[in-house]
Amino acid sequence: MRRMTGAGVCVAAVVAAVGGAAPGAGAADGPRAGLAYHGWAGLSAGRVDLRFTPRNDGPTAVAESVVRLHWSQPLADRQELPEACARAGERLLTCRVGALGGHRAGERIALRVLLRGAPTEVSLEFETAGSGAAVDGDRQRVLVLDTGDTYAF
């Protein structure tokens, strides 16, 4: 794994600015789950290596959740995905996150995604679909450039 360069630090800063929920969001509705995803991604010749760990930063447990991965570029027709993940459209994958207790991290999810062609950049949006509990922070965006670097988020 390569270290993040100056460009990667800039991308991470952009992700922090657009991802996650505002502090105190939903406070009037009572305790909520606050799911976020932390990890890294790298793009090279149309292949994205992605590793992330879901984390519930809120006080409320989530009985079951799924993360939807929306890609800005179309996915290649053939994908080899982990058992917890499935293709749900031309630019959409879903991965089962499972149950997460309050203030707990889930299991790391690792996948390699093939994009159609060889784009020089791809943006990826994480969207959480929770079951049973109200969930904050349901969208998080990551921009990955084909620089050979890994980008942390």
Side-chain angles (χ1 to χ4, degrees), residues 28-46:
D29 300 326
R32 298 171 77 84
L35 270 61
Y37 304 93
H38 304 284
W40 61 264
L43 170 63
S44 178

Side-chain angles (χ1 to χ4, degrees), residues 44-122:
S44 178
R47 183 186 77 209
V48 179
D49 288 311
L50 176 64
R51 307 287 182 273
F52 64 93
T53 301
R55 177 157 179 87
N56 181 358
D57 291 323
T60 304
V62 177
E64 185 68 29
S65 63
V66 171
V67 62
R68 294 182 185 114
L69 305 172
H70 299 269
W71 299 85
S72 64
Q73 300 290 330
L75 303 173
D77 291 336
R78 296 181 50 90
Q79 301 287 332
E80 289 186 33
L81 300 171
E83 187 176 310
C85 299
R87 186 160 183 171
E90 182 183 51
R91 297 173 189 234
L92 179 63
L93 298 176
T94 60
C95 294
R96 187 177 70 72
V97 173
L100 281 176
H103 303 290
R104 299 267 188 245
E107 295 293 318
R108 185 175 94 166
I109 297 173
L111 55 145
R112 176 170 286 165
V113 176
L114 301 176
L115 304 172
R116 220 176 275 159
T120 58
E121 68 179 45
V122 64

Side-chain angles (χ1 to χ4, degrees), residues 7-8 11-12 14-15 40-44 47-50 71-73 115 119-126 141-153:
V11 171
V14 170
V15 170
W40 61 264
L43 170 63
S44 178
R47 183 186 77 209
V48 179
D49 288 311
L50 176 64
W71 299 85
S72 64
Q73 300 290 330
L115 304 172
T120 58
E121 68 179 45
V122 64
S123 62
L124 168 61
E125 183 174 271
F126 293 81
R141 291 185 187 102
V142 177
L143 174 65
V144 185
L145 306 175
D146 188 355
T147 60
D149 295 317
T150 55
Y151 295 90
F153 57 91

